[in-house]
Amino acid sequence: MGIIDEIKDRARQNRKTIALPETMDKRIYEAAQRIVEEDFADVVLIGTPEDIEKYGAGHDLSKVRIVNPFTDPNRQKYIDKFVELRGAKGVTPEKAEQQMTEDYMYYACLMCKCGDIDGVVSGACHSTGNTIRPALQLLKTKPGISSVSGFFIMEVPDCELGCHGRFVFADCAVNPDIDSEKLAEIALLSADSFEEFTGEQAKVAMLSYSTKGSAKHADVDKVAKAVEIAHSMYPDLVLDGELQLDAALVPKVGELKSPGSPVAGHANTLVFPSLEAGNIGYKLVQRLAKANAYGPLLQGLSMPVNDLSRGCYADDIVGVVAMTAVQAQLAFE
Ligand code: ACO
């Protein structure tokens, strides 16, 4: 069974309601129909009857809830919540109403904030920045977490490395400026994400082009400092670095370059030193190793909101909704 089928089974055990606000995209309707047919989550589509008629024609939406942001009886509650959360940033009732009806991602995040749904999936026809900015502004981080980051669950076929070819890669999507403190926090969140989705213990490698001082540069120092911070703040994490990718993954290279390391040669959670490295790294593995790349999923947000690639298929949307439903189960435990 692939990881997505396992995740759908988990989603079925405690159903959650996930909103899909991009009702101007045909793939959303195909995905919504499949999710209710596969019966692992409840779906809310946010859109007008005109949107639904134009883009959703031919799909059976009888089991999907549709919320029209112009006539929804809860609309005033969401305007009030928006002003409560963002009044200090200049959001008036008029601006709130305009923004949430022009950009349904804001509407979806307000529904989530008010507890009327459990999570949101968007990004099939919006950039990552435009997808996650409303979530950062309205939902904010979990207590004690300073930054949201983006991870992928990678499933590499015919691979014995990592956890039988399963990995978490981070940050591949969110933070263009990563310092040592952020890297250490990304390590903690990524370990949690790995364990939540695979049920196995995370072994975290803090990646670099150097292994344990083999190269000298400020970029290497940044990762080495992150390792020190992580060891002191999260002493229970199984984490090591700085490690080159081969030392992190391949047992023989790990033994040679970092003997005695609890992680080298066995890493399943890879923390990249920069957004460039993470974003390029996951795409290399996806394209050249033909790996399944699920994400970018967000970690560190107070409630689950996840992004899609604009090149996604309906099948990818179905998978990300299942993962969001499982994150919602854990968020409300
Ligand atoms: N964690 C938590 N909060 C954050 C974060 C973060 N990582 N980044 C920004 N914020 C908060 C800010 O504090 C601010 O809050 P406030 O308005 O209450 O003060 C709010 O979010 C907006 O912050 P800005 O800095 O004004 O937002 P910005 O326009 O810079 O957007 C964003 C932030 C969207 C994360 C931006 O950094 C970005 O676009 N990152 C790269 C995304 C990307 O293109 N990824 C690659 C593609 S993904 C792929 O290929 C799969």
Side-chain angles (χ1 to χ4, degrees):
M1 194 190 260
I3 195 163
I4 289 297
D5 290 324
E6 292 169 22
I7 288 169
K8 285 178 187 169
D9 277 349
R10 283 172 63 189
R12 264 181 214 106
Q13 286 160 26
N14 176 8
R15 294 173 73 82
K16 295 291 173 189
T17 302
I18 308 300
L20 297 169
E22 292 176 305
T23 45
M24 63 303 281
D25 191 301
K26 291 182 178 170
R27 292 167 292 180
I28 295 297
Y29 297 90
E30 193 183 331
Q33 184 178 331
R34 291 248 320 268
I35 294 160
V36 291
E37 278 169 6
E38 293 188 36
D39 203 25
F40 63 80
D42 295 321
V43 176
V44 170
L45 294 178
I46 301 172
T48 61
E50 295 76 34
D51 295 329
I52 311 290
E53 201 181 321
K54 183 168 174 193
Y55 299 103
H59 292 100
D60 177 5
L61 302 174
S62 54
K63 291 187 186 152
V64 170
R65 197 176 131 215
I66 292 167
V67 170
N68 179 347
F70 293 91
T71 58
D72 179 12
N74 285 323
R75 175 185 155 88
Q76 189 58 46
K77 175 173 79 174
Y78 301 141
I79 293 172
D80 294 345
K81 181 56 81 179
F82 203 162
V83 174
E84 178 195 321
L85 295 170
R86 304 293 292 175
K89 296 270 178 181
V91 175
T92 59
E94 295 70 34
K95 279 191 185 165
E97 187 171 14
Q98 187 186 357
Q99 199 158 8
M100 68 193 213
T101 47
E102 279 179 359
D103 182 347
Y104 300 163
M105 186 61 191
Y106 278 92
Y107 207 92
C109 287
L110 288 158
M111 291 181 78
C112 211
K113 187 73 188 176
C114 290
D116 296 334
I117 55 171
D118 304 306
V120 184
V121 172
S122 189
C125 55
H126 289 90
S127 69
T128 295
N130 288 343
T131 300
I132 65 180
R133 196 172 295 105
L136 296 176
Q137 291 175 348
L138 297 170
L139 299 177
K140 298 283 177 190
T141 53
K142 285 180 182 164
I145 297 298
S146 68
S147 282
V148 171
S149 48
F151 70 99
F152 278 82
I153 295 178
M154 304 297 296
E155 196 175 32
V156 187
D158 303 320
C159 173
E160 278 316 305
L161 302 178
C163 180
H164 307 293
R166 290 178 181 178
F167 299 87
V168 157
F169 285 14
D171 178 359
C172 305
V174 179
N175 295 284
D177 302 305
I178 304 186
D179 59 17
S180 303
E181 285 72 17
K182 261 192 195 172
L183 271 181
E185 191 179 76
I186 290 168
L188 173 76
L189 291 170
S190 303
D192 284 350
S193 296
F194 182 84
E195 291 178 4
E196 282 169 4
F197 282 110
T198 67
E200 302 286 336
Q201 186 182 48
K203 294 181 180 169
V204 185
M206 306 295 277
L207 297 178
S208 172
Y209 62 85
S210 161
T211 298
K212 302 289 177 75
S214 64
K216 308 277 176 223
H217 188 273
D219 290 343
V220 177
D221 296 343
K222 176 177 88 170
V223 179
K225 187 174 165 205
V227 173
E228 264 178 51
I229 296 169
H231 281 321
S232 105
M233 290 186 68
Y234 322 118
D236 294 336
L237 266 190
V238 182
L239 173 145
D240 202 9
E242 83 288 352
L243 293 172
Q244 288 160 288
L245 185 80
D246 55 353
L249 293 184
V250 183
K252 274 194 177 154
V253 183
E255 271 165 40
L256 185 75
K257 292 189 173 180
S258 186
S261 164
V263 172
H266 306 281
N268 50 32
T269 302
L270 304 184
V271 175
F272 290 83
S274 70
L275 184 56
E276 281 135 311
N279 191 270
I280 294 166
Y282 101 78
K283 286 179 198 277
L284 274 174
V285 177
Q286 179 187 33
R287 298 293 169 181
L288 298 186
K290 303 198 183 333
N292 294 318
Y294 301 107
L297 303 168
L298 298 180
Q299 52 188 8
L301 264 181
S302 66
M303 298 181 80
V305 172
N306 285 314
D307 189 16
L308 296 161
S309 160
R310 277 175 288 173
C312 69
Y313 297 101
D315 203 33
D316 301 317
I317 303 171
V318 173
V320 174
V321 168
M323 290 188 270
T324 309
V326 166
Q327 282 180 318
Q329 291 173 347
L330 299 163
F332 296 106
E333 258 178 5

